[in-house]
């Protein structure tokens, strides 16, 4: 069958293996008739080719909630369990997942493999900061326990390691108590990038912070934006929200997305927010997962798919670098439909984890002629500033860019060579960036 990531580029003819038990995972690894490398795949929500290979082994049937301990505020579950599954269980009990990405439909194993981040990295770090222990099946079929104190180097390689150290079987996660899942949101309009960054800097105590940028605005309006600051309401419901989901039934013509239609959309969105109410109370779905209301929204970019380009640059270079990138995008005429702008706090010790102190911008570009040369130019700007690209969103970074920006890649490779000397676990991405 043909498989692809959420960006629908690239795709590959793959053998999909879907074991229904831990023992069948082990049997798949020991099958002497299968000599080709394979890669674990959870919910298929990574954007590029990090979960694509000639053989793909799905963890979707590892979806059992093993234990939920309210005394220790932890939950143990199979790696195929989605964040949505966990939220259904814990929200009525007054708990929440400490770090949430932009969709609830990702697996726990995928969240660990990508060491995902959310709208609160500046205060709470990334997802793996709340993984107390995980069980990892190595290429040999052996299952080992890993944590910050047990097999710690393997833990650091697995968290953010894009599935290249083994198959995550299950994990124990720390939860947080919240007074309510209702969100008190404050939306502020910024006339340009500098004002946007000033507002974010001045509101670092906000629990959640994210901004939308108009990437086609130029000159005095360069980087005009809407910043959304938020906290949990002190009072409100503790009820799981079930999204009413519209569906995109087919791929829309990509010609509908162009600099003119996107400019009109951006103008309307900016002015709607600018003249709207500054404060509002919304459900957690609306704030954390706005795109989940639209099923198969990736089809909006047409049959050729799209690429998300997400980078982080250090704080000291962020204003100049991001301004330069926005000018480059405006000059190209290839405006992204979606953009997400966030400030990161301290990073962690995981070898391939993406965040470090700085500003991150994620941009969704439809795949079209001339896009790859533009992204290559952006690569050089990011590298010059000491930044890097996010592996979970990447579909085209080359080996040179990766190894110049992920400075601990050799430490990662040293651990991988110890637990997987024959490169049983490999993906299209790992081959492309020189890890396999």
């Amino acid at each position: 069958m043909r498989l692809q990531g959420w960006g629908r580029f690239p795709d590959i003819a793959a053998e999909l293996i879907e074991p229904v038990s831990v023992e069948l995972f082990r049997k798949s690894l020991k099958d002497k008739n299968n000599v080709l490398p394979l890669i674990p795949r959870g919910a298929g929500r990574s954007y590029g080719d990090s979960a694509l290979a000639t053989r793909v082994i799905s963890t979707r049937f590892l979806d059992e909630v093993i234990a939920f301990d309210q005394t220790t505020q932890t939950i143990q579950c199979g790696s195929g369990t989605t964040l949505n599954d966990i939220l259904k269980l814990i929200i009525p009990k007054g708990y929440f997942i400490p770090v949430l990405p932009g969709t609830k439909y990702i697996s726990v194993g995928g969240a660990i493999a990508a060491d995902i981040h959310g709208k609160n990295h500046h205060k709470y770090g990334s997802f793996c900061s709340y993984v107390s222990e995980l069980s990892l099946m190595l290429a040999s079929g052996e299952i080992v326990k890993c944590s910050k104190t047990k097999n710690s180097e393997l833990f650091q390689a697995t968290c953010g390691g894009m599935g290249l150290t083994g198959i995550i079987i299950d994990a124990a996660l720390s939860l947080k108590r919240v007074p309510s899942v209702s969100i008190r949101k404050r939306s502020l309009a910024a006339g340009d990038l500098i004002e946007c960054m000033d507002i974010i800097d001045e509101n670092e105590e906000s629990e959640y912070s994210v901004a939308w940028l108009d990437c086609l605005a130029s000159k005095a309006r360069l980087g005009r934006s809407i910043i959304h600051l938020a906290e949990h309401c002190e009072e409100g419901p503790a009820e799981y929200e079930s999204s009413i989901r519209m569906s995109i039934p087919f791929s829309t013509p990509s010609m509908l997305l162009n600099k003119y239609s996107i400019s009109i959309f951006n103008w309307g969105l900016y002015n709607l927010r600018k003249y709207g109410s500054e404060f509002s109370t919304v459900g957690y779905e609306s704030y954390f997962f706005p795109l989940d209301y639209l099923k198969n929204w990736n089809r909006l970019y047409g049959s050729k798919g799209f690429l998300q380009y997400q980078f982080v640059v250090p704080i000291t270079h962020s204003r100049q670098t991001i301004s330069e990138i926005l000018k480059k995008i405006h000059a190209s005429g290839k405006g992204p439909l979606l953009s997400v702008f966030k400030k990161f706090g301290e990073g962690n010790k995981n070898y391939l984890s993406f965040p470090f102190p700085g500003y991150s911008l994620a941009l969704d570009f439809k795949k079209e002629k001339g896009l790859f040369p533009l992204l290559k130019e952006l690569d050089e700007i990011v590298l010059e500033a000491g930044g890097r690209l996010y592996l979970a969103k990447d579909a085209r970074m080359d080996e040179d860019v990766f190894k110049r920006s992920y400075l601990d890649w050799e430490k990662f490779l040293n651990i991988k060579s110890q637990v997987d000397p024959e490169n049983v676990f490999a993906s299209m991405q790992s081959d492309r960036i020189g890890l396999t």
Side-chain angles (χ1 to χ4, degrees):
M1 66 181 300
R2 298 207 71 84
L3 284 180
Q4 54 192 202
W6 187 246
R8 306 177 75 195
F9 170 83
D11 64 3
I12 187 174
E15 175 192 0
L16 179 63
I17 308 164
E18 297 184 301
V20 296
S21 68
V22 172
E23 189 51 45
L24 288 176
F25 274 92
R26 185 178 287 111
K27 184 177 180 181
S28 297
L29 290 176
K30 291 188 173 183
D31 187 348
K32 300 300 182 184
N33 294 321
N34 289 316
V35 295
L36 295 174
L38 79 166
I39 194 70
R41 180 182 173 97
R45 285 299 186 111
S46 56
Y47 280 55
D49 54 2
S50 58
L52 298 180
T54 307
R55 286 200 304 150
V56 173
I57 190 162
S58 172
T59 62
R60 72 186 185 100
F61 292 114
L62 297 176
D63 58 353
E64 178 187 6
V65 174
I66 301 166
F68 175 26
D69 189 331
Q70 296 188 58
T71 303
T72 59
Q73 297 187 185
T74 59
I75 189 167
Q76 184 183 6
C77 56
S79 65
T81 309
T82 66
L83 301 190
N84 184 44
D85 296 331
I86 295 175
L87 291 172
K88 281 182 183 178
L89 176 63
I90 68 173
I91 284 177
K93 306 292 186 182
Y95 294 94
F96 211 57
I97 299 173
V99 173
L100 288 169
T103 176
K104 62 184 178 182
Y105 296 112
I106 68 169
S107 69
V108 167
I112 294 170
D115 197 7
I116 61 167
H117 53 271
K119 299 173 176 66
N120 57 356
H121 189 277
H122 62 291
K123 295 195 74 171
Y124 293 100
S126 54
F127 188 85
C128 290
S129 299
Y130 304 92
V131 176
S132 52
E133 187 175 76
L134 61 86
S135 300
L136 185 71
M137 182 176 286
L138 305 180
S140 64
E142 176 189 4
I143 296 179
V144 297
K145 298 286 188 180
C146 304
S147 69
K148 293 176 183 176
T149 58
K150 185 188 301 179
N151 295 311
S152 59
E153 289 186 327
L154 183 55
F155 182 80
Q156 290 171 227
T158 300
C159 294
M162 307 310 296
L164 297 173
T165 58
I167 302 167
I168 300 170
I169 300 298
D170 59 57
L173 313 175
S174 298
L175 305 174
K176 71 174 181 178
R177 269 208 166 274
V178 292
S180 163
V181 291
S182 291
I183 300 297
R184 181 64 168 164
K185 183 174 73 169
R186 184 184 182 198
S187 299
L188 300 169
D192 58 28
L193 177 66
I194 303 306
E195 185 182 0
C196 172
M197 297 175 80
D198 285 343
I199 291 173
I200 292 174
D201 288 345
E202 291 164 5
N203 290 275
E204 283 193 328
E205 290 307 307
S206 289
E207 186 167 1
Y208 304 105
S209 174
V210 66
W212 163 84
L213 264 61
D214 181 352
C215 295
L216 284 179
S218 62
K219 298 181 179 178
R221 299 176 300 161
L222 183 76
R224 67 176 179 177
S225 45
I226 304 291
I227 304 97
H228 301 291
L229 310 170
E231 317 280 347
H232 288 272
C233 293
E234 287 302 316
E235 295 182 355
E239 298 175 356
Y240 168 79
E241 295 180 14
S242 180
S243 302
I244 300 173
R245 305 179 71 203
M246 297 174 59
S247 180
I248 306 298
F250 51 81
S251 297
T252 60
S254 63
M255 68 179 67
L256 295 178
L257 291 181
N258 55 64
K259 65 180 181 179
Y260 304 108
S261 62
I262 294 173
S263 292
I264 293 171
F265 173 82
N266 288 355
W267 179 88
L269 182 60
Y270 179 78
N271 284 284
L272 178 67
R273 298 294 186 184
K274 181 178 180 180
Y275 298 109
S277 175
E278 181 176 325
F279 290 94
S280 60
T281 299
V282 299
Y284 70 90
E285 287 267 339
S286 174
Y287 187 73
F288 292 103
F289 317 123
L291 289 175
D292 282 348
Y293 285 102
L294 195 60
K295 187 177 181 181
N296 298 319
W297 63 264
N298 54 347
R299 293 176 179 172
L300 291 171
Y301 291 88
S303 59
K304 293 182 180 179
F306 72 101
L307 289 88
Q308 184 170 113
Y309 187 86
Q310 183 170 5
F311 65 89
V312 58
V313 290
I315 290 173
T316 52
H317 297 92
S318 57
R319 300 191 178 213
Q320 177 182 347
T321 301
I322 295 169
S323 293
E324 185 178 356
I325 285 174
L326 292 176
K327 290 174 183 176
K328 185 75 69 174
I329 291 171
H330 180 267
S332 75
K334 299 184 185 303
L337 177 62
L338 298 174
S339 66
V340 179
F341 188 55
K342 292 181 284 195
K343 188 175 185 179
F344 287 162
E346 290 299 319
N348 56 39
K349 296 181 179 179
N350 302 330
Y351 302 133
L352 299 185
S353 188
F354 170 64
F356 62 72
Y359 276 92
S360 171
L361 180 59
L363 307 162
D364 286 357
F365 294 94
K366 72 174 183 179
K367 184 177 179 292
E368 61 178 326
K369 184 179 180 180
L371 176 61
F372 280 58
L374 169 64
L375 297 184
K376 188 61 181 174
E377 290 182 47
L378 301 189
D379 288 348
E380 291 304 316
I381 297 172
V382 171
L383 287 174
E384 183 67 25
R388 60 181 172 225
L389 310 183
Y390 190 18
L391 291 171
K393 306 294 180 67
D394 165 59
R396 35 69 57 194
M397 173 171 39
D398 63 33
E399 182 175 351
D400 177 64
V401 172
F402 168 71
K403 290 184 175 177
R404 286 168 61 189
S405 53
Y406 281 83
L407 303 183
D408 287 332
W409 69 268
E410 289 179 293
K411 293 180 181 178
F412 171 85
L413 211 52
N414 179 53
I415 300 300
K416 177 170 171 61
S417 65
Q418 293 176 37
V419 298
D420 185 18
E422 297 180 359
N423 276 333
V424 170
F425 297 107
S427 64
M428 290 178 68
Q429 181 183 68
S430 68
D431 290 344
R432 174 166 47 81
I433 63 175
L435 287 178
T436 50

